Structure formats: structure tokens, C-alpha cells
Amino acid sequence: MRFPLVFLLGLGIGLAHAPCPAHAHGAHQHGVAQLMVAVEGPTLTLRLESPLDNLLGFERAPRTEKERAAAEALLGRLKRGEGLFALTQAAECALASATVDAPVLQGGKAAAGHADLAAEWRYSCRAPDKLTGLRVLLFRDYKRLTRLEAAVAGPRGQRAARLSARAPDLAW
Amino acid sequence: MRGLSALLALAFRSAWNRRLTLGLTLTAVCLSVTLLLSIERLRVDARTSFTQAVSGTDLIVGARASPLQLLLYAVFRVGGATQEIGWEAAAAIDRHPAVAWTLPLALGDSHRGFPVLGTPARYFEVFRYGDRQPLVFAAGRPYAGLYEAVLGVEVAERLGYQVGDRITLAHGGGEFAPEHADKPFTVVGVLARTGTPVDRTVHVSLESIEAIHLDWQGGAPIPGLNIPPELATKFDLTPKTVTAVLVGLKSRAQVFAMQRWVQDYRAEPLMAVLPGVALDQLWDLLAIGERSLLTISALVAGVSLVGLVAVILAGLNERRRELAILRSVGAGPRRVLFLLLLEGAGLTLAACVLGLLLSLALVLAVGPWLAAYSGIHLQLTWPHAAQWAWLGAVFAVGTLASLIPAWRAYRLSLADGLTPHV
């Protein structure tokens, strides 16, 4: 009995020192993005923080016509919140507001050669009790995005999940 | 039915004749089952214990480090100490409009191996554990002044303390930690059992922590300087630093915005951790260790079952006469096959039952110690789904494996019946 305990604790303590990029400020790893989900009453708040590379393939102001079009399309799509997440149908959620913050695409400058994008969506739901999860649709169209580290603060507590094209469902 | 019970009695008596060898292999299988069940129990109960310990806390704020280190140290008091954060930062978080309550925590001192936690008295009102349950006093009251302590139930039971007793705190942990002997504390309350790290914590006010360190410097008393307990009140007892701050928000929707606010706090590098999220990340990391432990114990179970089959198989040669006699009194070869199968299955079943009982006995024996020193509470309950699955797997494998000696006995009894010289 002593062995597994010591082992578990030892492993826990050892790993506690391991770097954990999930919430470190300024974490930037291509292929990986953060999804934050907060559910409170009728309001569902989603926030996506991703290196631009995952969604565009470049991390600077667009140079060519094609790049400009791609950037415009991305910003427009994120603003409209179309085809990004599938929420439980029965909850009858509607997008109430969306903000997209990508300084590089919006006239700002990239820091240290890397650039990120943060987007936040607020949904309001008519039957929030029926809202039990969502499916991430981003993986279909953004092939460079391979992993989504999700953090949920929901009615039944907090949890973390790792989403990918194979496991795009997040339940809470 | 009569045939079956007769066969059962026969199988049992035959096995009883070989009780020493069978008993030993039975012990091996039984111990491997105990190992499997205990590891599974520890795995599940460690998770529950850890999950129960944080409830209703939206964020834990501390110095920038690994989120897991902060969580383990601030909530479970295990692992390496994190750096302190300034009092001004804690106060700034408390003033933030989205914040409903904060609980600054000061850790580092100990009392006979149990951690001492300095925190405001509102801790006993706002802190929640398990399913949002509040803390309940088994005896006494919260502390109101300096040098008053509230004990978790494990501390009180292990060390035999009651309300009114006097205790001294030690500086830091470990055997040789110097004592704050000049400023003893009075136990004013004992909390009811929670099954969380609260049970093994000594709670005092932040001001008390500050007061006992007034005449200390560099981890030891300053020689020649001795501030008597009653004079400590003349000093400013606002803490200069705290270890971590538990934060409750007015609205859950604010949690990620608040997290960013803390990360961007200018005056010093801070970090805000969602405890539930950090715990999930911990399980994610521990999963590798858990899986290898389970794999090893499954292998041990497999090896012991192979041993069981080998012993039954080896016994067949000695039992040729026994089986031949059975055949001569009219037992068909199928009945012999069934007899051997019954023996293997019976032995595995007995091993499973004994292993289960032994694992429960182990919980009884080790549980209290584990709860007191690690905060992991083992449940003395009927096996849960995963444990049943392991038991079922062991029984199924054992029964299937005993088909090997059974088949061999079947073949032998056919052949032995045909050849005249046995």
C-alpha cells in the first residue's frame, strides 16, 4: 500500500514542477489553442485563444491579395460565429455578441515574430438547463489546429478536456 | 441438481486432500486480487478525496509557478512550497468588483507534523468542500483573537486535544523545526470531519502567524529579542505576504476574465488557477502512472492464475488413480471434465472472495493512517464498477484457464479407461 501512495504523490510532486502551458500568459504553441467555456444561468461565454498560424497559416499582416482575403474571411467568420461550435439544439442558444481581437490583422504589430488571436462569443440560451455540451467544428476547416485545450466552468464545477478532430465533443 | 451437488462435494473433498499445494496457489491468486482491488480503490478514492477538497472556489491565486504546484501546496499541503505573494496584491484582488470573497492563506508552520494554516476567521463561513458543504464545528467556536487555534478533527483525535488545551507551533515542518514556545496557542474549536485536508490542519488567524514571527529573523529567534505575547498587539500585525488567495466570484461567467486580470497584474507576477481544471490536468498526468500500476497488478494476477493452472495440471498425474476409480464407478469423461473445471473455478472464486475481504481489511487497517498523513480517504464500501470488472475478469480468466487441465483429464480418462494397466 505504501508503494503506490508514495509513487502517486512522488509522481504528482515531480510533475507539479513540470511546465504546464495551459494558462501561462503568452503561451504560444502552433497546432494548439485554448478554449474557455463559462456557463452561468442563461449565458454561455466561449473564448478562443489561438496562435494565428493555426487559423491562417501565417502570423503577420497579410501581404498578398490572397492573404488579405483569407484574413478578411477569418475575421468575418469569427464575428458571425458561423460553423465554429455546435451547441445542444434543445437549449435554443443564440449568439448575442462576438468580439475578435487579432492586433496583427487589425493594423497592430506582432510581438517577437509570433501573433495570437483571441475571440469571445456570448450566447444567450432560452433553455439553459438543456445545454450540456458542445461540439467544436473548427477542426474541419482549420487543419493546422490539431489540439484544443478546453477549460470549463460550468454549473457542476470546473473541468479540463483535450479536444481534437477525433474527439471534438465537450460535455459539462 | 443432485448430481451437481454430489459433484461439488466430490470436487471439494478431492481438493481438500491436496490442501497444502492448492492452499498456497490459492494464497497467491488471493494476494494478486487484493493488489488489484487495492490499487483500483486507491486510484478512485484519491480522485474523490482531491475533488472533494475544492468546492465553490473559483480561482486560486499565487505566485507564478506551475498551476499544479500551487494547487497541491495551497489546497492539499503536499509538494514543494510556492513563493509568497505580497499583501497588497491580495488586497487588490479583494477590492476587484467581480470578487465576492477572498481567503488569503499563509502556510509554512506546522504542529507535530500537521500543517498550520493562517487565514481570516471568515474562512469558517465561506469555505466549502465536497458538494458545497460548509464547515461545521464539532466543539467550540471560530478564533476571535490572537493565539487561538481551531483544529481539524484528525489533529484533535490523533494528538488527543480538546477545547481549552494549549499547543505551541513549530517554525516550518520536519522533526527539528524550532518551536514558537514563547507564544502558546489555546484550542478554541474543533471542526467536524470533512474527509478533506481541513481535517489535518491547524487553523489560526493571519495576525497570529504574524505575531509569532515578530521576534524572528532568518528562520530563527533573534537572540536577545523577546517580545512577550501580550505586547505583540502593539505592533502592526497586517501580514506582509501570504502563500495563496482563494477567490470566490460573484458570477461564474467572470472567471476567465478575472484569470486574465490576475495574470496581467503589473506590480508582481501572479497566476490564477481554476482548481477543477488544474485537478483534471493532474489526473491526466497521473494517468500514465496509474495505468502502469494497474497493468503490473493485472500481470501479477495473470501470473498467479498460470501458477494455479500449473498446480492443477501437475496434480493430474498423481490423480490418475482417483480419476480411474471415478470412471470405474460410472462417471463419464464429461463428468471428469466438469469436476476439474469446477475445481479451477471454485478455487478462483474462493481467491476472489478472500482477496476482496483482504482488501477491505487493508482499508480498515491502513485507511486511518493514510487519511491522517495524506488526506486520501479510503472508502470502506462495496466494490465499485471498476473493481467488479477486475473481479469478473480474474474469475473468467481463472475458469477459462482451468479448461486446460480439465481437457487433459478428459483425454486421460478416455485413454485410461481403454488401457488395462493403470
Side-chain angles (χ1 to χ4, degrees):
Chain A
M1 281 307 284
R2 211 192 150 89
F3 164 69
L5 170 72
V6 169
F7 180 79
L8 272 173
L9 287 182
L11 195 62
I13 292 156
L15 290 170
H17 292 283
C20 191
H23 296 292
H25 186 63
H28 184 102
Q29 186 186 357
H30 288 195
V32 184
Q34 264 77 42
L35 177 69
M36 290 149 214
V37 181
V39 193
E40 168 89 53
T43 311
L44 166 72
T45 314
L46 299 179
R47 183 181 170 88
L48 177 74
E49 290 179 5
S50 169
L52 259 186
D53 180 77
N54 290 346
L55 307 170
L56 271 184
F58 57 90
E59 298 200 332
R60 47 175 170 70
R63 287 177 193 156
T64 64
E65 213 34 61
K66 202 178 159 200
E67 285 181 355
R68 211 159 290 144
E72 283 299 314
L74 174 69
L75 291 179
R77 185 174 179 191
L78 293 178
K79 278 256 177 181
R80 289 190 303 276
E82 277 171 8
L84 306 173
F85 308 100
L87 307 173
T88 320
Q89 285 276 329
E92 295 179 54
C93 300
L95 186 63
S97 71
T99 54
V100 182
D101 185 22
V104 184
L105 303 183
Q106 293 158 336
K109 283 207 164 164
H114 282 298
D116 295 280
L117 175 146
E120 199 164 305
W121 300 271
R122 195 154 295 175
Y123 292 85
S124 98
C125 303
R126 279 207 208 157
D129 295 346
K130 297 195 175 122
L131 185 67
T132 53
L134 61 82
R135 168 171 290 181
V136 176
L137 308 174
L138 292 163
F139 300 109
R140 276 195 323 213
D141 298 327
Y142 302 104
K143 296 289 180 205
R144 302 172 79 90
L145 178 68
T146 53
R147 205 172 83 211
L148 204 50
E149 298 286 355
V152 183
R156 286 190 295 149
Q158 303 171 338
R159 57 174 304 240
R162 183 168 290 175
L163 307 179
S164 64
R166 278 193 186 173
D169 291 312
L170 179 65
W172 59 79
Chain B
M1 267 332 276
R2 242 182 66 91
L4 183 70
S5 63
L7 208 59
L8 263 174
L10 205 61
F12 177 76
R13 278 189 208 152
S14 164
W16 186 249
N17 257 325
R18 291 164 287 128
R19 55 187 173 272
L20 185 65
T21 40
L22 287 185
L24 280 175
T25 44
L26 183 83
T27 312
V29 182
C30 161
L31 286 178
S32 70
V33 168
T34 308
L35 184 69
L36 255 179
L37 293 183
S38 303
I39 285 178
E40 189 60 47
R41 163 70 60 199
L42 187 68
R43 189 178 77 87
V44 172
D45 288 355
R47 288 196 176 205
T48 328
S49 302
F50 272 47
T51 311
Q52 294 275 310
V54 272
S55 167
T57 299
D58 291 299
L59 288 169
I60 304 172
V61 177
R64 210 169 283 171
S66 151
L68 288 182
Q69 191 189 357
L70 179 65
L71 177 80
L72 287 174
Y73 187 63
V75 178
F76 306 105
R77 338 259 197 255
V78 293
T82 53
Q83 293 191 354
E84 301 271 299
I85 62 173
W87 178 252
E88 180 43 42
I93 294 162
D94 195 57
R95 285 193 301 266
H96 192 283
V99 170
W101 52 264
T102 62
L103 285 173
L105 310 178
L107 288 158
D109 281 359
S110 68
H111 174 71
R112 295 179 65 183
F114 291 102
V116 172
L117 170 69
T119 188
R122 62 173 182 271
Y123 178 83
F124 303 108
E125 288 160 33
V126 296
F127 187 80
R128 295 284 182 274
Y129 72 95
D131 196 14
R132 305 222 160 210
Q133 288 146 282
L135 295 173
V136 176
F137 275 83
R141 55 167 177 86
Y143 41 74
L146 285 179
Y147 316 123
E148 291 187 333
V150 170
L151 306 182
V153 65
E154 283 287 347
V155 185
E157 278 178 8
R158 290 262 144 185
L159 304 176
Y161 290 144
Q162 285 169 342
V163 172
D165 285 354
R166 313 260 286 174
I167 61 172
T168 58
L169 307 187
H171 191 76
E175 293 274 311
F176 303 105
E179 294 274 331
H180 295 285
D182 59 328
K183 299 190 181 68
F185 280 70
T186 308
V187 177
V188 296
V190 177
L191 293 168
R193 190 173 293 281
T194 64
T196 71
V198 170
D199 291 354
R200 40 186 195 97
T201 302
V202 176
H203 306 81
V204 300
S205 68
L206 283 169
E207 290 76 20
S208 300
I209 294 268
E210 202 59 25
I212 57 176
H213 292 105
L214 273 180
D215 44 9
W216 283 52
Q217 197 172 43
I222 303 168
L225 179 63
N226 187 10
I227 299 168
E230 56 282 3
L231 273 186
T233 47
K234 306 268 183 224
F235 292 81
D236 175 19
L237 292 177
T238 311
K240 284 159 201 72
T241 61
V242 291
T243 313
V245 183
L246 302 185
V247 181
L249 297 175
K250 287 175 187 151
S251 157
R252 205 185 301 124
Q254 295 283 321
V255 67
F256 295 107
M258 187 65 199
Q259 189 183 30
R260 278 195 304 284
W261 185 86
V262 171
Q263 312 271 37
D264 294 342
Y265 185 72
R266 281 294 168 92
E268 62 179 304
L270 296 180
M271 174 179 72
V273 174
L274 279 80
V277 170
L279 258 186
D280 273 355
Q281 287 165 347
L282 175 67
W283 302 139
D284 207 34
L285 291 170
L286 286 182
I288 313 157
E290 288 177 351
R291 238 173 278 144
S292 38
L293 272 179
L294 275 176
T295 312
I296 291 169
S297 26
L299 278 177
V300 170
V303 167
S304 62
L305 284 177
V306 169
L308 176 75
V309 172
V311 162
I312 298 179
L313 209 53
L316 275 188
N317 263 340
E318 319 164 16
R319 294 172 69 191
R320 274 184 137 169
R321 178 181 288 276
E322 177 192 331
L323 296 179
I325 291 172
L326 276 177
R327 293 278 283 130
S328 71
V329 295
R334 274 198 214 157
R335 190 150 284 207
V336 171
L337 179 133
F338 196 59
L339 185 77
L340 267 286
L341 197 61
L342 212 57
E343 182 176 308
L347 280 171
T348 326
L349 185 66
C352 285
V353 171
L354 287 175
L356 176 61
L357 291 179
L358 196 61
S359 75
L360 291 178
L362 213 56
V363 170
L364 268 183
V366 186
W369 175 85
L370 199 64
Y373 292 105
S374 73
I376 296 174
H377 289 256
L378 298 180
Q379 304 292 317
L380 189 68
T381 54
W382 208 233
H384 48 71
Q387 285 182 309
W388 279 124
W390 281 116
L391 280 174
V394 169
F395 180 66
V397 171
T399 308
L400 279 179
S402 51
L403 270 176
I404 303 169
W407 178 246
R408 189 161 163 76
Y410 174 80
R411 295 293 303 275
L412 277 177
S413 65
L414 277 180
D416 284 351
L418 293 175
T419 41
H421 46 79
V422 176

